[in-house]
Amino acid sequence: MSVEQVPEDVNGLRWLKSSYSGSGGGDCVEVAAGVDAIYVRDSKTVGSGPVLRVGRGEWTAFVALTAK
């Protein structure tokens, strides 16, 4: 599996909050789909926290595994 922290600007992506994130301000994960990767970040640290880039194949496998 290939996951890396993204050094480039990803503000042009359309970020979506995970449906599993609570509305109480706790676990807030956001994802965005790029051309060849999926990006993941913590919505509480937008602009200052890390953004992870995951290959589309790896993301598909992760979602399939967690959906069981």
Side-chain angles (χ1 to χ4, degrees):
M1 183 170 179
S2 172
V3 177
E4 61 184 290
Q5 187 170 338
V6 179
E8 68 264 16
D9 180 25
V10 290
N11 290 327
L13 296 173
R14 182 169 177 245
W15 292 93
L16 303 169
K17 186 174 179 181
S18 169
S19 61
Y20 286 98
S21 293
S23 59
D27 302 324
C28 301
V29 175
E30 293 182 327
V31 297
V35 175
D36 59 350
I38 302 299
Y39 298 86
V40 183
R41 70 182 180 188
D42 181 342
S43 65
K44 296 181 302 298
T45 60
V46 171
S48 63
V51 174
L52 301 177
R53 177 176 42 215
V54 181
R56 285 185 168 269
E58 288 90 349
W59 182 257
T60 300
F62 170 75
V63 170
L65 183 65
T66 58
K68 293 182 179 184

